[in-house]
Amino acid sequence: AKAGGRACVRHYLPSMRTAALHHLALEQGLRQALASGEQLMLYFQPQVDRQARVIGAEALLRWQHPSLGMVSPAEFIPVAEETGLILELGDWVLREACEALRCLPASRLPRLSVNISPHQFARRDFVERVAARVEAAGIDPARLLLEITEGVLIDDLYAAIETLNGLKRIGVALAIDDFGVGYSSLSYLKRLPLDELKIDRSFIQELEDANDAAIVQTIIAIARHLALAVVAEGVETHEQQAFLEANGCHAFQGFLFHRPMPYAALASSLKAVTGA
Ligand code: C2E
Ligand code: CA
Ligand code: CA
Ligand code: CA
């Protein structure tokens, strides 16, 4: 690229989007979005089994900013984490997710996964908040699957285990998200009351690489050893699916099957599948 004036640099460097000014705009925008309640939306990405039957879905936050357009959660979740806005945002997501589960019976959508941020998880009353949301919606807690990352376990493992046990007591399901990306240690993994491991997209995308293939095989073996379900994220090709199946992973989430979609599209695609 040629070294032009500032306007040129602004235009061509995506890293400009993370500049302090942008950060502030995102923070203010997020506050407005939370206050108005009109720019935030949950999308849903179905997860499927070997026969491409829907076995669940992941709730993914979307933010339609009035001037920036669709802002990626990869961009605004870190800002929300830093500013503490994630607590309110996370509450909103939990409420919307429970509402979706209330509207879609288990026969159509067995379960819904929700991403929980470290800050949200560390909240003293997190378990009570989840319990209150589940109860208000009147849903079976086992249909709500909370995805946490390995990061929540690092700061204070004992506090994290206590929270996980509390969540198990109220009956929700628990998954480790992006498994293999963080600092998992097998010795603590077996002490956690988990239900599922999710293999991060980054490993699936590089399956031609022998190292990544070995990591994926190892993750699947760990899941089997610990009697956990294992879901592969970011499955885009039949080759990837075939590799996963051959190695014992039978649950898939990825563009090969479904892209994240708004609630209405989810509801009608579930109708189409089950004929309900
Ligand atoms: P994640 O939890 O790893 O979610 C999976 C991401 O992979 C989603 O990106 C999804 O759209 C994308 N994906 C799924 N299948 C494919 C595929 O086949 N190919 C490709 N290229 N991508 C695929 P998304 O929706 O942009 O979300 C990004 C991240 O933002 C999530 O990563 C999660 O960490 C975070 N996030 C999203 N919603 C929430 C939320 O409600 N709360 C919190 N705390 N974090 C959220
Ligand atoms: Ca996730
Ligand atoms: Ca994640
Ligand atoms: Ca991931």
Side-chain angles (χ1 to χ4, degrees), residues 201-220:
R201 190 171 94 214
S202 58
F203 300 120
I204 306 299
Q205 264 160 355
E206 308 285 327
L207 276 180
E208 308 78 36
D209 180 296
N211 290 328
D212 287 282
I215 289 171
V216 168
Q217 286 171 316
T218 304
I219 293 173
I220 296 169

Side-chain angles (χ1 to χ4, degrees), residues 58 115 147 177 198 233:
E58 178 173 6
N115 292 287
E147 296 190 356
D177 200 6
K198 285 192 84 173
E233 172 190 282

